Amino acid sequence: MIRFSGFGTVGLLRTNSDEGEYKRELQAKGATTRTTALVDSNLGLQLDGRIAPWATATVQSLTMQRNTPQMTTRLEWAFVKLMPLDDLTVRVGKLNAPVFMISDSRRIGYANTALRPSDEVYSLDLLTGGLTGAEGSWRFRFGGKSLTATLLAGRSKYSDVPIPSIKVHGVKGLNLVWDGDWYQVRLGQVVASPQLDPLSDLMSPLLQPGQQLSDVRYKFSGLGLTAERNGVLVQSEYVRRR
């Protein structure tokens, strides 16, 4: 009925120069010639409970360095999952929006094939507050292959940037995943309306004539591929943020 699990990474990192710091995503403090454990180390704890044969609940906390120069603990997941039909899944609560190939597992270091997911890609998503809302997934089966379509809606926030926390309303998204015999292709997009009033002094000079802060839209698109055959693994992603 109840399962408790966890994951963690202890990573020590240093560089050969003090002229810059190596950081992951939007972290406040990075590595220099002085060894640090703040960049790669984390600890996740998860509690899963079965409410009914067709319903479960999940709560997950994650301790890591974010936008302050020390490790902090935050609730990453807190949702109820409903499975009324074999190929239909609905999750309601606090989630990770599926904007990447490995959105749900990128913090689990030993689940990744690389030492860390490519920072040039994974640092671009600004909806670091996760998704508070709902998503529904339906799997269409075609012999040994399948297509999973996920629709999501809710709200979020820019929470890990060194500016006042920006609320983001009207988050909507579509995620398509095609599972083949030895490969997986993902195509998705998330759009949202950031509430930029706290940044009006900074943002106003950047607007087009006649454009208002309320007109600004956030759009994140991604295309990904994972293929594994004959002992060879290829994983690639292309993303665009506007």
Side-chain angles (χ1 to χ4, degrees):
M1 296 294 293
I2 297 178
R3 183 182 67 179
F4 179 74
S5 60
F7 61 88
T9 301
V10 177
L12 300 178
L13 181 64
R14 63 179 296 173
T15 71
N16 63 351
S17 173
D18 283 330
E19 295 181 5
E21 296 184 8
Y22 179 82
K23 301 188 293 184
R24 293 181 64 179
E25 301 179 19
L26 299 172
Q27 290 178 333
K29 189 173 180 61
T32 59
T33 55
R34 185 175 182 178
T35 303
T36 179
L38 290 175
V39 175
D40 288 325
S41 300
N42 61 28
L43 175 63
L45 300 176
Q46 183 168 321
L47 188 66
D48 296 282
R50 180 164 295 279
I51 305 171
W54 47 270
T56 62
T58 298
V59 177
Q60 183 192 103
S61 67
L62 180 63
T63 301
M64 60 177 291
Q65 185 202 188
R66 295 182 174 88
N67 63 332
T68 56
Q70 63 268 340
M71 302 185 78
T72 58
T73 300
R74 190 174 74 185
L75 195 66
E76 291 288 300
W77 293 352
F79 62 84
V80 174
K81 179 179 178 180
L82 308 176
M83 297 158 287
L85 301 173
D86 288 342
D87 292 320
L88 175 63
T89 300
V90 178
R91 299 197 300 177
V92 180
K94 183 174 175 57
L95 313 163
N96 279 333
V99 295
F100 296 111
M101 285 287 295
I102 54 172
S103 288
D104 282 354
S105 61
R106 62 174 167 150
R107 304 298 187 189
I108 308 175
Y110 52 83
N112 300 318
T113 56
L115 178 64
R116 59 182 70 87
S118 175
D119 199 59
E120 291 82 0
V121 172
Y122 283 73
S123 64
L124 291 180
D125 179 31
L126 292 180
L127 297 185
T128 50
L131 174 73
T132 301
E135 68 173 29
S137 299
W138 186 278
R139 176 176 293 182
F140 302 89
R141 301 180 185 272
F142 305 92
K145 303 176 178 62
S146 67
L147 174 67
T148 302
T150 301
L151 290 172
L152 61 93
R155 55 184 171 84
S156 185
K157 60 182 179 179
Y158 300 161
S159 62
D160 289 348
V161 290
I163 55 178
S165 183
I166 303 300
K167 296 181 179 179
V168 184
H169 296 161
V171 179
K172 300 175 184 177
L174 172 64
N175 192 54
L176 301 174
V177 177
W178 175 264
D179 283 295
D181 296 330
W182 48 271
Y183 65 93
Q184 183 182 82
V185 179
R186 176 200 166 269
L187 176 66
Q189 184 176 90
V190 171
V191 296
S193 301
Q195 309 301 298
L196 298 173
D197 291 341
L199 298 181
S200 57
D201 293 340
L202 176 65
M203 294 293 298
S204 295
L206 305 177
L207 298 177
Q208 301 296 323
Q211 188 181 27
Q212 305 295 321
L213 285 175
S214 58
D215 298 330
V216 176
R217 294 292 181 267
Y218 176 90
K219 181 185 292 186
F220 194 93
S221 308
L223 173 65
L225 167 69
T226 298
E228 185 174 7
R229 195 169 191 177
N230 298 328
V232 177
L233 174 68
V234 176
Q235 187 176 60
S236 182
E237 285 191 74
Y238 173 83
V239 298
R240 174 180 289 179
R241 184 192 71 199
R242 291 190 180 277

